[in-house]
Amino acid sequence: MNTAVLVLENGQVFTGRPFGAVGETLGEAVFCTAMTGYQETLTDPSYHRQIVVATAPQIGNTGWNTEDDESHGGKIWVAGYAVRNPTRRVSNWRASTSLEDELVRQGIVGIAGIDTRAAVRTLRDHGSMRAGVFSGEALSDTDELLSRVRSQPSMKGADLAGEVTTDTGYTVEPEGEVRFTVAAIDLGIKTNTPRMFAQRGVRVHVLPAVADLATITALNPDGVFLSNGPGDPATAEAPVNLTREVLGADLPLFGICFGNQILGRALGRGTYKMTFGHRGINIPVIDAATGTVSITAQNHGFALEGEAGEEFDTDFGRARVSHVCANDGTVEGVELLSGRAFSVQYHPEAAAGPHDAAYLFDKFITLLEGDRAQGSKA
């Protein structure tokens, strides 16, 4: 039977045809508004346990290559993929295979030919929800499929960083001379992050999410980085405690996405689950200090509590909400007023773009240079 169905937790069913592997997959249904970069989306560990609905109507025209993966080892992390119109022909000189062939190879169950506009409207109106994609022998009557969907755990309360982190750690060497060394805590790190550091002369030691302060200090790093990643930040007690220890040791710190939520929690802020989150590459962010707007790539379903420009006390000095989303006021960055730690909710390392926020890597390098100039690092 050449039929596949996307079943949402609220009982809505979208019927299409199999795309990728045939079978069953469960996850949280979310939508991504990016017009480009589907390979980067599918391999982003932050999408672990999520079924991504693409708003772009045609997907797959550039195929799949060996260079644009955002996961270490090229693993596809999405739980499933839902598209309107997959291209029938690959047209890009870099492609080594087609998108569908790669989905099949990695066992990712997907669906094509559905009205993705209607699915996205549902998710916008009612919020991200549990869902499933079923095809082949996994098909059954609607009540049975809906029961399977509703029996899975919610994303709220999900502790997922440990499922996507590196097992043993690895090192990414810089291009040219080593200027600085950074310890990066892998909560679901994207491959372009160490690459961005490497372009600036930084050796990156990527460490497992369970790393402790002793492991970090043994590397004698110039700074610490907290990566993006999946799951509910309210469950990430170990990374939050580690961050507090790093701040207490006065090591420069920079965080992205999940790392922003971890730093925020370490500074005493709460988090909450958003209705449908931010997922795309065209989301405007306002710098509260300057009013400058950057167009950013984002992928998050949780956010920090706070308001634009808000200042607050922490155990490590005064801090403030540094950035907010121009669309809805969501907190998009926090920082210590001392300048020793800062983070953003969006992706300055974004591949396939945009690149408005790439300067944040340079901001962190400037912080490391200042430390070195002052001789504060032994």
Side-chain angles (χ1 to χ4, degrees):
M1 183 183 297
N2 194 31
T3 299
V5 292
L6 168 66
V7 180
L8 300 182
E9 181 180 358
N10 68 348
Q12 282 189 262
V13 177
F14 297 87
T15 302
R17 61 185 184 277
F19 181 57
V22 172
E24 171 183 324
T25 190
L26 300 171
E28 180 186 51
V30 300
F31 62 91
C32 178
T33 61
M35 297 291 287
T36 61
Y38 58 79
Q39 180 170 339
E40 290 87 343
T41 293
L42 297 178
T43 56
D44 181 350
S46 297
Y47 279 109
H48 177 42
R49 243 184 67 183
Q50 294 181 324
I51 296 171
V52 177
V53 181
T55 61
Q58 187 176 65
I59 296 291
N61 59 305
T62 57
W64 194 274
N65 62 64
T66 59
E67 302 169 24
D68 291 341
D69 295 328
E70 283 296 327
S71 61
H72 194 59
K75 177 180 172 62
I76 295 177
W77 279 106
V78 302
Y81 201 30
V83 302
R84 171 63 181 171
N85 180 27
T87 184
R88 292 176 292 177
R89 179 180 300 173
V90 173
S91 180
N92 189 280
W93 65 273
R94 298 169 69 232
S96 55
T97 188
S98 71
L99 168 59
E100 182 164 27
D101 286 347
E102 188 64 19
L103 292 173
V104 170
R105 189 182 77 82
Q106 296 203 33
I108 306 301
V109 176
I111 184 172
I114 67 169
D115 187 345
T116 51
R117 295 171 301 176
V120 169
R121 287 194 189 102
T122 296
L123 297 176
R124 282 185 60 90
D125 291 343
H126 301 285
S128 301
M129 64 184 76
R130 291 173 295 183
V133 178
F134 307 91
S135 57
E137 295 182 358
L139 288 169
S140 184
D141 63 82
T142 299
D143 288 343
E144 166 61 23
L145 299 182
L146 187 57
S147 176
R148 295 183 209 170
V149 166
R150 291 175 175 171
S151 67
Q152 67 178 302
S154 169
M155 189 61 71
K156 186 175 183 178
D159 185 2
L160 302 180
E163 298 180 12
V164 301
T165 189
T166 177
D167 292 330
T168 58
Y170 56 94
T171 301
V172 178
E173 295 292 341
E175 300 173 7
E177 181 183 357
V178 179
R179 298 178 59 208
F180 300 102
T181 298
V182 166
I185 307 304
D186 179 10
L187 306 169
I189 199 167
K190 295 164 67 176
T191 58
N192 202 42
T193 301
R195 187 182 301 129
M196 295 283 279
F197 278 124
Q199 291 170 356
R200 291 161 172 80
V202 178
R203 173 183 287 141
V204 181
H205 294 286
V206 182
L207 302 177
V210 295
D212 56 19
L213 184 62
T215 302
I216 292 173
T217 56
L219 298 170
N220 196 29
D222 298 283
V224 176
F225 173 78
L226 300 174
S227 82
N228 61 291
D232 186 343
T235 68
E237 294 301 330
V240 170
N241 291 335
L242 174 61
T243 300
R244 289 181 61 83
E245 292 178 338
V246 168
L247 295 175
D250 198 32
L251 284 167
L253 185 139
F254 174 32
I256 286 175
C257 197
F258 198 70
N260 177 65
Q261 297 160 10
I262 298 304
L263 176 59
R265 284 199 58 208
L267 297 178
R269 309 302 285 185
T271 59
Y272 64 94
K273 192 176 190 304
M274 304 170 71
T275 303
F276 51 81
H278 295 162
R279 296 174 182 88
I281 61 174
N282 59 346
I283 300 171
V285 168
I286 302 172
D287 184 323
T290 66
T292 302
V293 175
S294 296
I295 303 302
T296 70
Q298 298 191 21
N299 170 22
H300 64 109
F302 294 84
L304 288 172
E305 296 174 344
E307 298 179 359
E310 177 188 355
E311 294 191 8
F312 54 96
D313 291 320
T314 79
D315 293 338
F316 312 98
R318 292 281 286 176
R320 68 182 167 196
V321 173
S322 58
H323 298 77
V324 294
C325 179
N327 292 337
D328 58 14
T330 299
V331 173
E332 298 286 357
V334 292
E335 63 184 359
L336 287 176
L337 297 188
S338 66
R340 301 298 293 169
F342 66 95
S343 60
V344 292
Q345 187 62 61
Y346 48 97
H347 290 272
E349 85 294 356
H355 303 135
D356 292 19
Y359 74 91
L360 290 165
F361 284 93
D362 299 317
K363 177 180 177 178
F364 190 52
I365 298 302
T366 299
L367 176 57
L368 302 185
E369 289 173 340
D371 267 21
R372 181 164 295 176
Q374 294 173 14
S376 61
K377 176 176 177 291

